[in-house]
Amino acid sequence: MLLIGLLSGTLAGVIDLAVDWMTDLKEGVCLTAFWYSHEQCCWTSNETTFDDRDKCPQWQKWAELMTGHAEGAGAYVLNYFLYVLWALLFSFLAVSLVRVFAPYACGSGIPEIKTILSGFIIRGYLGKWTLLIKTVTLVLAVSSGLSLGKEGPLVHVACCCGNLFCSLFSKYSKNEGKRREVLSAAAAAGVSVAFGAPIGGVLFSLEEVSYYFPLKTLWRSFFAALVAAFTLRAINPFGNSRLVLFYVEYHTPWYMAELVPFILLGVFGGLWGTLFIKANIAWCRRRKTTQLGKYPVLEVIAVTGITALLAFPNPYTRRSTSELISELFNDCGALESSQLCDYINNPNMSRPVDDIPDRPAGPGVYNALWQLALALVFKIVITIFTFGMKIPSGLFIPSMAVGAIAGRIVGIAVEQMAYHHHDWIIFKNWCRPGADCVTPGLYAMVGAAACLGGVTRMTVSLVVIMFELTGGLEYIVPLMAAAVTSKWVADAFGKEGIYESHIQLNGYPYLDVRDEFTHRTLATDVMRPRRNDPPLAVLTQDSTTVEDVETLIKDTDYNGFPVVVSRESERLIGFVQRRDLTLAIKTARQKQDGVVSSSVVYFTEDAPQLPASNPQPLKLRRILNLSPFTVTDHTPMETVVDIFRKLGLRQCLVTRSGRLLGIITKKDVLRHMAQMMNQDPESIMFN
């Protein structure tokens, strides 16, 4: 756990620093030290003024560097052109690396991790190459300015770290169940560094990712998340001693009347979540079934080109999404230079600095409002096409951006209403003229939570992550109201969140823990072989030859085979994995003398004495699982489904008084559940 925390914290810190630098590289370069980002470059400068704190002679935009002119149409066009060019270069590099070295590094990785934790094995998904390529391409993808975040992929990166350290200890590498517990804890460390929210990470792992979460995993996750957050804090990638970019502190309380706009934001979040899931799944299905899927590089280049061309003119979409959210969450203090804080000040105001009363909006605010409205439409549309491309892409940040923009717009509207109409009955009791009543930044925060909840259907972990992000403990009730509303609204249109929808789309055999199975069917109705099927492929304990086994392996693609006493009695002894069989026969042929095709395979305690003329027998008792999971043919399917869920089984044998009758695999259970819900069982495709 310590190692996982250290490595994932370090990787997250490196990713944050690299993204910061490369995002600024699209606009200009630092002359004193090119590895400084814009902010770091101007820190060291003595020539910065308070009003133009972003401008310093050490930092030059590309046009100024090349032509010597900072202003004018020519400089704007050159900057625009170079911005698009850098974006295209970054995304091309990202998609090429993913395509050539680690095809599994694309996407967010959370659907696959949910599937792995449910007991399915995706080989190579958590390998070393995937870890390396995902870390590098994540930096490139986020820097290219595409509408995606790094939060989901960081969970995948942390799980890769977990898998890497599991392979060093035989206790974990040999035992799938123990390895899954470690991966659950690694997922918590991933969210901990993605959001700087250690407790939110533990709850996220419990609520969203994990399948089976015993108490010891809870405190392991807690420890891993703690170490990861410590490591990130030591690196201090944002230079503000915080774990996140958008840390805010609000000074005003909220009032009961404000619950109405908060709940409306919750409704908006639920509707956006539904729209996004439906549209994104339709687009991804189209990508899978048409020619589009054959040109992943072209698709990424096209989407990046369109994003960069449309994003540059609008200052709110040009910057990185995290910075945008940070600005939207911000409370307008006396020291803010942002356009959103361009209010008309009362000249004879004498109040403490941090408690500024509500003021009428100036031209800058109205200007910012229509730019934000355009940014909202742009983000809503472009995110649908971005998520699911062949590059690492997270969904948390874009969803939060959509919600934060909508929330800030609503917040400013409420604030101006309260200022101009403070005699209305709704404002009368709590908003006196000259008081600071409405905080627009709080609305942005609530909107972000609502949209994220609508897309992922998280509730508890979402609220905890949001208040750890923003340090606003007294705003738990508004956040809870928005999260619950958005979940109810989104659930009214469909039960699946974005991750479950992607699991279904990709055909992973995943049994959702939340689904109820209430039908009165028995194991006999589901097991195979059915009536007209060929008999079950089995091995006998002492009458199968090596040649028979090899033929069986060649002719079938099953994962393993039951072993019985004899074909007549069909009494079950155990179960043997296909992988172990092939490996054992291969090693025996190389290392043992006298093992030939006609050698008999024995699964018994000791092989009988054979005459010298017979070929040497092959003893395979050691690879036989003597306690395979079995149920009787009259076990209700409700119990069987529960067993599959809780133990993460892949198959289970059906017996009657010791005789083997058939086998039920996870895919049979899923097909049966589809049939019971009147869907066509063949329509469930498995990769």
Side-chain angles (χ1 to χ4, degrees):
M1 288 304 134
L2 182 73
L3 292 171
I4 291 168
L6 287 169
L7 185 58
S8 46
T10 310
L11 287 175
V14 170
I15 289 172
D16 282 339
L17 288 166
V19 164
D20 223 20
W21 174 66
M22 286 173 72
T23 307
D24 288 342
L25 192 63
K26 292 189 304 201
E27 293 190 24
V29 69
C30 187
L31 300 181
T32 44
F34 71 90
W35 57 87
Y36 278 173
S37 68
H38 188 164
E39 197 182 4
Q40 292 163 336
C41 192
C42 289
W43 273 344
T44 49
S45 165
N46 298 328
E47 287 93 355
T48 40
T49 58
F50 182 72
D51 292 330
D52 295 334
R53 67 190 77 171
D54 295 339
K55 297 195 176 82
C56 61
Q58 285 85 343
W59 176 267
Q60 286 199 346
K61 295 201 166 173
W62 291 112
E64 196 183 344
L65 193 68
M66 291 173 179
T67 61
H69 299 296
E71 304 298 324
Y76 184 81
V77 171
L78 185 57
N79 279 329
Y80 199 156
F81 173 70
L82 283 164
Y83 179 90
V84 177
L85 201 66
W86 278 109
L88 290 172
L89 176 70
F90 290 159
S91 63
F92 174 69
L93 269 175
V95 69
S96 311
L97 285 170
V98 168
R99 200 151 166 227
V100 176
F101 295 106
Y104 278 151
C106 68
S108 92
I110 293 182
E112 285 79 3
I113 282 164
K114 286 183 76 144
T115 312
I116 288 172
L117 289 177
S118 78
F120 185 67
I121 295 173
I122 307 178
R123 298 214 172 283
Y125 195 77
L126 299 172
K128 298 184 204 56
W129 269 112
T130 312
L131 173 64
L132 181 68
I133 297 298
K134 185 121 188 177
T135 312
V136 175
T137 52
L138 181 54
V139 173
L140 290 164
V142 176
S143 309
S144 67
L146 284 163
S147 180
L148 46 87
K150 59 181 186 321
E151 279 55 28
L154 272 173
V155 175
H156 184 185
V157 165
C159 285
C160 288
C161 299
N163 194 47
L164 182 72
F165 291 124
C166 276
S167 55
L168 305 179
F169 302 98
S170 61
K171 175 182 171 183
Y172 296 105
S173 58
K174 297 269 169 53
N175 185 334
E176 275 301 323
K178 287 220 181 300
R179 183 195 298 242
R180 273 179 229 149
E181 287 179 25
V182 172
L183 293 180
S184 281
V191 175
S192 166
V193 288
F195 283 121
I199 298 175
V202 176
L203 289 171
F204 176 81
S205 177
L206 168 66
E207 182 181 12
E208 194 57 35
V209 192
S210 298
Y211 209 70
Y212 167 65
F213 203 82
L215 263 176
K216 64 169 186 276
T217 309
L218 181 74
W219 90 258
R220 279 179 184 168
S221 313
F222 187 73
F223 180 66
L226 170 78
V227 175
F230 259 139
T231 313
L232 185 62
R233 175 68 186 74
I235 295 174
N236 195 7
F238 302 114
N240 60 358
S241 311
R242 302 272 181 227
L243 292 175
V244 272
L245 193 53
F246 23 87
Y247 187 86
V248 282
E249 288 176 47
Y250 303 130
H251 301 291
T252 44
W254 60 277
Y255 302 93
M256 281 307 286
E258 289 185 284
L259 272 180
V260 179
F262 291 152
I263 286 172
L264 286 175
L265 282 171
V267 173
F268 169 77
L271 291 172
W272 139 253
T274 308
L275 165 90
F276 175 78
I277 292 170
K278 296 251 189 305
N280 181 255
I281 292 296
W283 179 249
C284 289
R285 185 167 286 124
R286 190 179 173 126
R287 183 188 289 132
K288 262 181 146 42
T289 50
T290 58
Q291 290 292 315
L292 183 66
K294 294 189 178 147
Y295 306 107
V297 179
L298 269 176
E299 186 194 3
V300 172
I301 295 280
V303 173
T304 311
I306 294 166
T307 309
L309 282 169
L310 294 175
F312 187 82
N314 186 340
Y316 290 107
T317 47
R318 185 188 315 174
R319 67 187 58 181
S320 75
T321 320
S322 307
E323 282 175 26
L324 169 65
I325 296 174
S326 165
E327 181 163 328
L328 293 167
F329 279 6
N330 234 332
D331 191 10
C332 281
L335 307 175
E336 287 304 321
S337 62
S338 146
Q339 242 196 334
L340 282 168
C341 293
D342 181 24
Y343 290 95
I344 298 165
N345 282 318
N346 186 356
N348 52 16
M349 174 184 85
S350 59
R351 312 244 2 212
V353 170
D354 61 342
D355 186 28
I356 296 176
D358 285 351
R359 300 159 292 175
V365 175
Y366 290 116
N367 196 10
L369 277 180
W370 71 261
Q371 287 179 347
L372 281 176
L374 286 175
L376 181 65
V377 176
F378 168 70
K379 285 277 181 204
I380 285 178
V381 175
I382 206 79
T383 309
I384 291 170
F385 298 102
T386 310
F387 188 68
M389 289 197 304
K390 293 282 172 247
I391 46 172
S393 55
L395 192 61
F396 281 29
I397 290 280
S399 316
M400 281 171 68
V402 167
I405 295 172
R408 187 78 190 206
I409 293 173
V410 171
I412 292 175
V414 173
E415 182 190 43
Q416 293 306 307
M417 264 169 61
Y419 177 79
H420 292 296
H421 305 284
H422 50 75
D423 48 352
W424 284 9
I425 194 150
I426 42 173
F427 300 124
K428 211 167 188 173
N429 297 337
W430 53 276
C431 198
R432 294 185 310 285
D436 180 13
C437 335
V438 182
T439 313
L442 172 60
Y443 285 77
M445 182 170 129
V446 172
C451 283
L452 190 47
V455 174
T456 59
R457 307 297 156 85
M458 304 188 313
T459 46
V460 188
S461 49
L462 172 69
V463 172
V464 174
I465 285 175
M466 286 308 291
F467 86 68
E468 279 192 273
L469 262 188
T470 50
L473 266 173
E474 55 191 282
Y475 306 114
I476 286 187
V477 176
L479 287 171
M480 283 170 81
V484 169
T485 316
S486 80
K487 185 176 165 59
W488 278 338
V489 171
D491 279 352
F493 294 100
K495 284 272 179 260
E496 280 98 23
I498 185 75
Y499 300 133
E500 286 78 21
S501 306
H502 271 274
I503 285 174
Q504 276 182 7
L505 178 74
N506 291 333
Y508 299 132
Y510 176 77
L511 273 172
D512 200 344
V513 189
R514 298 165 203 158
D515 292 346
E516 293 284 316
F517 186 85
T518 48
H519 308 283
R520 309 287 294 275
T521 45
L522 300 175
T524 333
D525 309 331
V526 182
M527 72 178 196
R528 290 184 307 168
R530 305 267 158 77
R531 281 232 173 85
N532 309 325
D533 289 358
L536 199 60
V538 294
L539 299 169
T540 55
Q541 68 170 3
D542 52 9
S543 57
T544 323
T545 63
V546 171
E547 193 176 10
D548 296 340
V549 176
E550 283 175 330
T551 317
L552 184 65
I553 288 173
K554 203 167 82 195
D555 296 347
T556 62
D557 53 0
Y558 303 126
N559 237 332
F561 307 97
V563 179
V564 293
V565 175
S566 66
R567 292 196 189 275
E568 295 73 51
S569 77
E570 293 229 309
R571 282 202 177 280
L572 178 69
I573 293 177
F575 190 83
V576 62
Q577 293 279 352
R578 174 200 191 91
R579 206 174 66 226
D580 300 341
L581 260 182
T582 34
L583 199 66
I585 291 177
K586 193 172 153 198
T587 15
R589 279 183 179 270
Q590 287 169 357
K591 305 238 175 93
Q592 280 182 12
D593 293 338
V595 173
V596 287
S597 294
S598 56
S599 301
V600 180
V601 176
Y602 284 100
F603 289 104
T604 47
E605 286 278 354
D606 27 38
Q609 290 298 318
L610 293 171
S613 57
N614 285 24
Q616 174 112 13
L618 176 59
K619 299 179 201 161
L620 293 181
R621 175 82 170 188
R622 67 180 188 288
I623 63 165
L624 180 65
N625 175 7
L626 289 167
S627 54
F629 215 93
T630 56
V631 294
T632 65
D633 54 342
H634 285 292
T635 311
M637 265 318 282
E638 199 179 346
T639 314
V640 176
V641 170
D642 243 14
I643 291 171
F644 267 92
R645 273 191 194 139
K646 298 223 164 74
L647 298 177
L649 292 183
R650 295 172 75 184
Q651 72 271 321
C652 155
L653 302 172
V654 185
T655 60
R656 183 196 286 157
S657 52
R659 273 191 65 231
L660 176 70
L661 295 182
I663 188 168
I664 299 178
T665 64
K666 193 175 217 167
K667 296 181 182 180
D668 296 331
V669 175
L670 284 160
R671 285 198 186 98
H672 178 66
M673 285 170 84
Q675 206 172 346
M676 290 285 122
M677 289 159 78
N678 298 327
Q679 296 170 355
D680 172 23
E682 296 310 311
S683 72
I684 296 195
M685 291 298 298
F686 294 115
N687 281 356

